[in-house]
Amino acid sequence: MRYRSADTRRQTTDDDSIALTAYLAPLALLPDGWAKRVRIDVDADGTIAGVWPGGETSGAEALAGPVLPGMPNLHSHAFQRAMAGLAERAGGGDDFWGWRQVMYRFLERLGPDEVEAVAAQLYIEMLKSGYTAVAEFHYLHHAPDGRPYADPAELSRRVIAAAGRVGIGLTHLPVLYARGGFDDAPLTEGQRRFTGDPERLLALVQALAADHADDPNLRFGVAPHSLRAVAPDMLAALVAGAHGADPMAPIHIHIAEQTREVEDCVARTGARPVEWLLSEAPVDGRWCLIHATHLNPVETVALAASDAVAGLCPTTEANLGDGLFPLADYLAVGGKLGIGSDSHISVSPIEELRWLDYGQRLTRRRRAIAANETSPSPGERLFRLALDGGAQATGRPIGRIESGCRADLLVLDADGPTLAGRPTDRLLDALIFAGNANPVRDVMVGGGWRVREGRHPAEQAVFDDYRRALATLTA
Ligand code: NGQ
Ligand code: ZN
């Protein structure tokens, strides 16, 4: 086996060995803990080919600080980035449902160019803050008048193009949205851009998957929007069709976010949303239940036992006044979780994890609730849980510095004020619970550098496009 230094990586080797690029991490978070002087070999495809603590380091490119696996962001509605901060006035009932009306009105002017420009800006912000992959819960399918575009996958293609332009890993989840509520109400005017049925949605996913079959940074799944928006027979058809085409396809669904949704579900079905889903749908490790805010103790245990991931979005859940996920009880029974930035009022894994923990501290009047005997560091425990759950929910080999995983890496600035002088076993506590600066210095996705010294090479051009899109939206 031959190793090539980074500056020769585009050349081919003169024997039949696999071309590898070697990096040297002074410190790296590996699946079984922190390790010093770790050589990480990356193949030409962007996959980690070997991890060698204390290994041979000649020819390896030295990384500038402690190295973490990149964080998956398991829940995003990219277009909502453009309205972040614009829906903070009282009115429309001043609750989640009023916010939703504001969001629907905002959609009226959003065309393909705007969707692509906003997504590219958002994905650069994600990369710079430490998210190296995103699951895009994509329900904006049609033109503002509700008619399909000439290519029904137009807006999906724009989101995929944005991710490709800036180089973030993408799990694209086209969404089925078919009714206005548990009472089978028709869609309102504000919802007509979302409409679909299982057959057309599955055909759209097939077409996209065929066009992008060999892109290792891209994966497809499907998302029934919610039990409100998808009737039981359509849910069954969608899930069966998706798994017929791709047995491991991720399935994401919004669930039990608002108390009204719980009440409507009970009134209609006699069961609470998570209770209903776990008994009526084949929920397993391929599923991600977004929010799952309102769980009773029986549901909390059952969700953990299902092997599905709870997709938690603490800053959006706080912003929308959803309620508080029962984190401590869920962790006590071994539940899996990941984090998402959802409406993007914040784009920071640090802030999501910080508020995930602080919600518990505030209500329980206790500290460090995420720590346990094997993981005395709450920051490290939460970070690792979100890596594992995020990787599972995105359906891609990410979240670990390990052979066979994608080379999605974060290099931290250990000399800045947040992390300077912190011992290794406190690094992730300092990262998550202290300071306001972003200590992410360099970001690699699939073996390629996306951010170096805090800058993405396309950030100015992407921001210019975003500003132009905003001008159109607010004209
Ligand atoms: C969404 N967002 O799909 O963007 C939803 C609002 C709905 C959140 N639930 C729409 N946070 O749930 O009906
Ligand atoms: Zn959502």
Side-chain angles (χ1 to χ4, degrees):
M1 187 121 20
R2 282 164 51 102
Y3 296 97
R4 295 180 299 157
S5 62
D7 53 6
T8 60
R9 63 175 308 203
R10 292 291 161 216
Q11 295 169 14
T12 50
T13 47
D14 52 13
D15 57 34
D16 59 0
S17 62
I18 307 165
L20 299 176
T21 304
Y23 298 94
L24 174 63
L27 195 61
L29 187 67
L30 304 184
D32 49 9
W34 286 102
K36 282 188 185 149
R37 292 187 67 75
V38 180
R39 197 186 77 218
I40 302 168
D41 294 335
V42 179
D43 71 19
D45 201 38
T47 296
I48 297 174
V51 179
W52 315 93
E56 171 61 47
T57 60
S58 65
E61 177 183 335
L63 302 176
V67 178
L68 299 173
M71 181 61 72
N73 183 333
L74 58 60
H75 193 63
S76 164
H77 308 291
F79 72 85
Q80 291 177 14
R81 170 64 185 85
M83 59 172 281
L86 295 179
E88 300 299 330
R89 294 285 185 279
D94 203 15
D95 59 8
F96 173 90
W97 308 100
W99 168 85
R100 194 173 78 154
Q101 285 308 123
V102 175
M103 188 264 282
Y104 288 171
R105 282 202 297 281
F106 183 76
L107 283 181
E108 286 165 13
R109 289 158 166 255
L110 212 63
D113 290 344
E114 289 75 37
V115 166
E116 184 171 342
V118 173
Q121 171 65 24
L122 170 69
Y123 294 161
I124 283 199
E125 292 171 4
M126 285 189 189
L127 287 167
K128 291 174 73 169
S129 74
Y131 290 120
T132 45
V134 57
E136 182 64 35
F137 197 106
H138 176 79
Y139 60 88
L140 191 63
H141 299 303
H142 311 307
D145 64 4
R147 279 191 291 209
Y149 289 102
D151 174 0
E154 173 73 24
L155 295 183
S156 280
R157 293 191 195 281
R158 297 307 194 106
V159 169
I160 292 167
R165 179 180 183 193
V166 309
I168 197 168
L170 178 67
T171 299
H172 189 63
L173 304 167
V175 172
L176 177 61
Y177 201 107
R179 64 175 183 176
F182 282 102
D183 58 357
D184 271 328
L187 298 185
T188 62
E189 201 173 298
Q191 296 166 330
R192 63 190 175 182
R193 300 190 70 178
F194 319 154
T195 187
D197 61 53
E199 294 70 35
R200 278 186 295 160
L201 194 83
L202 290 165
L204 183 146
V205 175
Q206 294 302 3
L208 291 170
D211 288 352
H212 295 278
D214 47 13
D215 184 345
N217 291 323
L218 183 55
R219 177 94 165 87
F220 294 93
V222 295
H225 180 276
S226 53
L227 295 181
R228 282 180 271 128
V230 179
D233 57 333
M234 287 203 183
L235 177 67
L238 181 67
V239 171
H243 284 156
D246 175 355
M248 289 306 291
I251 313 274
H252 290 213
I253 185 170
H254 290 128
I255 198 147
E257 181 182 11
Q258 282 280 317
T259 50
R260 190 174 108 190
E261 179 186 354
V262 177
E263 288 155 15
D264 289 353
C265 187
V266 171
R268 207 69 193 179
T269 71
R272 299 163 55 82
V274 171
E275 179 189 12
W276 187 91
L277 190 76
L278 292 177
S279 77
E280 301 298 323
V283 176
D284 60 16
R286 297 168 294 185
W287 286 65
C288 180
L289 276 61
I290 305 299
H291 307 303
T293 308
H294 299 288
L295 297 176
N296 68 22
V298 174
E299 290 173 307
T300 304
V301 173
L303 177 56
S306 77
D307 203 36
V309 174
L312 307 177
C313 310
T315 63
T316 293
E317 289 153 10
N319 184 272
L320 296 179
D322 288 340
L324 203 60
F325 179 84
L327 178 69
D329 296 341
Y330 186 66
L331 290 181
V333 291
K336 294 181 171 177
L337 64 85
I339 51 167
S341 58
D342 192 352
S343 67
H344 314 303
I345 34 82
S346 168
V347 183
S348 159
I350 293 171
E351 203 176 3
E352 297 305 334
L353 293 173
R354 186 179 288 182
W355 280 100
L356 185 59
D357 194 312
Y358 281 0
Q360 302 294 310
R361 297 188 193 203
L362 287 163
T363 50
R364 294 180 169 246
R365 285 168 277 157
R366 294 286 304 274
R367 302 185 69 245
I369 66 96
N372 65 9
E373 272 151 37
T374 44
S375 305
S377 158
E380 187 170 323
R381 175 125 187 266
L382 289 172
F383 199 88
R384 284 175 176 285
L385 284 165
L387 287 172
D388 288 346
Q392 180 175 321
T394 51
R396 299 182 52 239
I398 55 177
R400 287 167 165 251
I401 302 176
E402 184 176 85
S403 270
C405 281
R406 302 293 293 158
D408 290 6
L409 306 175
L410 310 179
V411 181
L412 301 178
D413 175 10
D415 300 322
T418 303
L419 303 182
R422 297 291 172 253
T424 303
D425 67 347
R426 307 298 160 109
L427 271 180
L428 283 167
D429 292 323
L431 182 78
I432 290 166
F433 298 112
N436 297 302
N438 172 18
V440 174
R441 183 183 192 279
D442 305 308
V443 179
M444 177 185 284
V445 177
W449 289 114
R450 302 299 185 244
V451 174
R452 303 230 64 174
E453 294 183 40
R455 285 190 59 83
H456 187 291
E459 67 181 54
Q460 189 60 50
V462 165
F463 185 58
D464 291 344
D465 292 348
Y466 172 70
R467 294 269 291 249
R468 265 193 297 279
L470 284 186
T472 308
L473 294 175
T474 55

